[in-house]
Amino acid sequence: MREDESKAEAGHRCGGVRHLSHKDVEECSVVRTNTVVTLFTVVVLLAAASAFEARAEQVRSESLPGLEPLPGMGGGLPGMDEPAAESGVVNTTVDTRTPAARGPRVDSSLLIDTARAGDRIVAVGERGIVLLSDDQGKTWRQANVPVRTLLTAVDFADDQLGWAVGHDAVVLNTTDGGENWVVQHYAPELDAPMLDVVALDARNVLASAALGMVFRTEDGGDSWTDTQLNMTLGDFLGMPESFDDFSPHWFAVDRAGDGSLYLAGERGVIAHSDDGGRNWQQISSPYNGSLFGVGFLSDGGVIVYGMRGNAFASSDGGVHWRKLETGTDRSLNADVTLANGSLLLSGMAGTMLWSGDSGATFIPIEQPNRADVLAALPLVAAGGDGRELLLLTSRGKRMGRILDPIDAD
């Protein structure tokens, strides 16, 4: 890894102080910057600034070693009323009560997350943009969204009812499969962007956020409660005991097969809840760097992953962890389970790693460019074999089919 890339990926360890070498990280003291710039962490961590130079380019299904292109990515959305931002930092100081940007370039906008609403694909991203596809990603159209702020995550309870979250502590709700959205929560004064969301059912939804915040509703979003979870860092890099009251950025929240919930975040902090998110307990962590995601394996285990290609799995709810040999030092951003139960991890600089044995081994899927992979979603096609994927990258949407030697039967 080049030195400048190493600094960019390591920078978040000191609570928002960026561009530090590994040595600098170990020597850094308690410096936390609670400004809006600090809270752009999801953008900086999920898409390298250098990759944004080509973000306006609409990348369709180009041939990838390891991925076979699928026909057509369609677009053709009517004219955008303003050009896409050219900076790697998304501007959230605009009036977010203004409806989302619209136009032909919307289809090539930066998209951060995607989810399925029945057979429909819903993708969310910058400037309040929500795109919908009813033909497995071949063509897209724009949803009606009342805000123009960065949306970071989306999840659905069923084929109609879903939630999207983002900066300014905004929560959007849809009751028609993503066609139209309304604001349920908006609190820019908190300076705590929401970074992930999980819909447990039609009434219970949780969102993880910066500065230790967790938001929860038990009435479908009519009311939201927020809790700041203070965690213990312990003897971390020689930090003083006062750091035992630490509010990490929670980058990810997800639900296990048994209904329990996991949070993963800054400086390797992990928390667990077995009562729907009402109460949380910190659990042991195998790593001192930031964890950007949490997922679940086909054998019932839990996996956490993040900076420098680090990934760990536990088969006992986080009591013990084993390090997974990913073979990369690129930060990992997202996971997806394929139709046969195998695991795909994706991340910075085009990293894609496949495992068919619950993380015991990984096979890299090569790509010809360094576009960061922000999210992946298996496509459901008649007669498909489970290998088709939609990828959201820092250079646009991609569709492809995993090739041999990976056997996805």
Side-chain angles (χ1 to χ4, degrees), residues 120-238:
R120 173 176 294 168
I121 299 173
V122 181
V124 304
E126 62 175 334
R127 292 176 298 156
I129 293 169
V130 177
L131 298 183
L132 312 175
S133 176
D134 291 320
D135 55 9
Q136 299 304 299
K138 295 177 182 178
T139 60
W140 296 82
R141 68 182 188 280
Q142 189 172 3
N144 297 312
V145 179
V147 298
R148 190 174 299 194
T149 191
L150 177 69
L151 301 176
T152 57
V154 60
D155 197 25
F156 278 77
D158 54 39
D159 62 352
Q160 297 294 308
L161 190 59
W163 286 265
V165 301
H167 282 211
D168 294 330
V170 67
V171 180
L172 303 177
N173 172 241
T174 179
T175 59
D176 57 9
E179 297 281 359
N180 300 281
W181 297 80
V182 297
V183 176
Q184 287 189 336
H185 188 276
Y186 174 70
E189 69 278 3
L190 294 178
D191 278 345
M194 297 186 185
L195 304 177
D196 201 5
V197 63
V198 57
L200 306 181
D201 54 43
R203 298 186 62 80
N204 294 277
V205 184
L206 286 97
S208 62
L211 302 178
M213 302 295 290
V214 176
F215 296 81
R216 180 171 58 91
T217 181
E218 295 182 340
D219 55 17
D222 289 340
S223 62
W224 289 83
T225 59
D226 58 82
T227 303
Q228 188 171 46
L229 301 180
N230 294 320
M231 300 285 115
T232 299
L233 284 181
D235 184 17
F236 172 62
L237 298 182

Side-chain angles (χ1 to χ4, degrees), residues 233-244:
L233 284 181
D235 184 17
F236 172 62
L237 298 182
M239 290 184 175
E241 188 171 343
S242 61
F243 260 69
D244 288 350

Side-chain angles (χ1 to χ4, degrees), residues 54 57-73 366-371 389 391 393 395-401 403:
E57 172 192 359
Q58 186 172 354
V59 181
R60 306 204 184 268
S61 320
E62 64 183 67
S63 178
L64 302 176
L67 288 181
E68 178 184 28
L70 294 180
M73 288 253 337
E366 298 296 333
Q367 295 196 60
N369 59 46
R370 294 166 54 83
L389 293 173
L391 304 180
T393 82
R395 296 187 181 182
K397 302 184 295 296
R398 297 178 184 270
M399 293 167 60
R401 182 177 183 273
L403 299 175

Side-chain angles (χ1 to χ4, degrees), residues 3 33 39 51-52 60 81 124 207 225 229 293 305 334 344 363 367 400:
E3 182 180 359
T33 309
L39 298 180
F52 278 82
R60 306 204 184 268
D81 56 10
V124 304
T225 59
L229 301 180
Y305 51 87
L344 184 71
I363 298 174
Q367 295 196 60

Side-chain angles (χ1 to χ4, degrees), residues 31-44:
V31 180
R32 292 188 56 87
T33 309
N34 296 334
T35 65
V36 174
V37 174
T38 299
L39 298 180
F40 288 143
T41 51
V42 67
V43 179
V44 177

Side-chain angles (χ1 to χ4, degrees), residues 8-25:
E9 292 186 0
H12 188 66
R13 282 191 178 181
C14 290
V17 180
R18 297 179 171 82
H19 305 299
L20 302 178
S21 68
H22 184 66
K23 179 179 179 181
D24 293 329
V25 170

